Amino acid sequence: MPLHLQRDLDHLHHEVLSLSGVVEEMLEKAARALFERNAHIANEVIDIDIIVDEREVQIEEECLKALALHQPVAVDLRRIATVLKVNNDLERMADLTVNLAERAKNVIEFPTFVIPTRLARMVEMTQGMVSDVLDSFVNMDSAAATRVGAMDAEVDRMNCEIIADLQKVMRERPDQVVPALHCFSASRHIERISDHAVNIADDVIYMVEGVIVRHRYSNGSKSELPNT
């Protein structure tokens, strides 16, 4: 590999890892804002998002520059393509943490509303998925990425259970419909963050093995990969 290409790849890798740290911090703060009913922390998350947007654009521009300048092939091309995709997923995760922070601010207005206890477990699992998939990216570990993808079904199941709990609350307590709807949205935002973690896991597998594994799961079961 040419020295200049290696330098640019290392730089892109570092930039994405730096961005991922910001996004992980946003998710942690948004969850705290919800469970601690802290509007100040929620506002911190919202304010950070503009930094993520700027860095996402910068990383994309650097990826495109590297593609044009070096015209990489094989694994080097896959690395840059993966950085582009991971970069986009991180930006979408940041947007979802902002949505979660906004839902937290809305829930704060209803002090008698009880947030479902299992939502905290769902957040914990999602945070673990995000952390683990970013580690798999750093270590170029496709096996670890595969394990992250397998966790998504559990998060989806918990999301459905939380929605069922909230629907029961809305039927039995009409005065709690508004905060329950905000909590409903919060659960959905968390579930979508886990989906983006799965996207990154698929991209790590592609980067390491050169195999596209998107859409491998259908109706909860693993579909066969086509023969090549």
Side-chain angles (χ1 to χ4, degrees):
M1 182 192 303
L3 179 62
H4 292 303
L5 174 56
Q6 181 64 62
R7 180 199 61 198
D8 288 349
L9 287 173
D10 290 344
H11 175 71
L12 286 171
H13 202 78
H14 173 78
E15 289 297 303
V16 169
L17 292 181
S18 177
L19 179 60
S20 70
V22 175
V23 174
E24 284 191 273
E25 179 186 2
M26 291 176 71
L27 177 56
E28 187 272 334
K29 285 187 172 182
R32 282 177 53 204
L34 178 64
F35 295 113
E36 297 177 10
R37 299 176 186 258
N38 190 318
H40 175 71
I41 297 176
N43 286 328
E44 287 182 2
V45 174
I46 295 169
D47 291 341
I48 293 172
D49 188 51
I50 189 172
I51 299 174
V52 173
D53 290 343
E54 291 172 351
R55 293 178 68 175
E56 187 257 346
V57 171
Q58 176 187 352
I59 292 170
E60 181 174 329
E61 289 176 344
E62 292 181 5
C63 285
L64 296 175
K65 179 180 177 181
L67 288 171
L69 182 62
H70 302 294
Q71 298 183 351
V73 296
V75 66
D76 299 330
L77 177 59
R78 295 204 304 270
R79 284 185 67 183
I80 296 177
T82 299
V83 168
L84 274 168
K85 292 182 177 182
V86 171
N87 184 48
N88 180 257
D89 278 306
L90 289 172
E91 191 275 333
R92 289 298 300 125
M93 283 183 181
D95 287 345
L96 289 163
T97 65
V98 169
N99 293 343
L100 180 58
E102 290 172 343
R103 297 290 76 75
K105 291 176 67 176
N106 293 130
V107 170
I108 289 169
E109 299 176 6
F110 300 87
T112 62
F113 176 73
V114 179
I115 298 173
T117 55
R118 72 181 79 203
L119 185 61
R121 174 56 181 155
M122 182 179 170
V123 169
E124 182 181 340
M125 286 193 64
T126 299
Q127 288 175 315
M129 289 177 67
V130 172
S131 177
D132 289 348
V133 80
L134 293 173
D135 285 345
S136 76
F137 174 73
V138 171
N139 299 319
M140 298 182 69
D141 186 344
S142 59
T146 299
R147 290 193 293 272
V148 171
M151 296 173 64
D152 189 51
E154 177 67 12
V155 174
D156 290 344
R157 181 188 65 79
M158 295 184 72
N159 181 50
C160 291
E161 292 175 349
I162 291 165
I163 289 172
D165 290 344
L166 292 170
Q167 288 174 334
K168 181 179 178 181
V169 170
M170 288 187 280
R171 285 194 301 268
E172 297 177 353
R173 295 282 307 276
D175 61 309
Q176 299 289 289
V177 168
V178 173
L181 287 172
H182 287 306
C183 196
F184 182 109
S185 295
S187 181
R188 178 58 177 156
H189 297 324
I190 295 163
E191 188 270 334
R192 287 293 297 134
I193 290 171
S194 75
D195 286 344
H196 285 287
V198 173
N199 290 346
I200 294 175
D202 290 345
D203 292 335
V204 170
I205 294 169
Y206 169 71
M207 176 177 67
V208 176
E209 301 181 5
V211 178
I212 297 174
V213 295
R214 290 194 311 275
H215 317 306
R216 60 187 162 159
Y217 293 101
S218 178
N219 298 322
S221 61
K222 187 173 183 179
S223 58
E224 294 295 326
L225 292 174
N227 294 324
T228 57

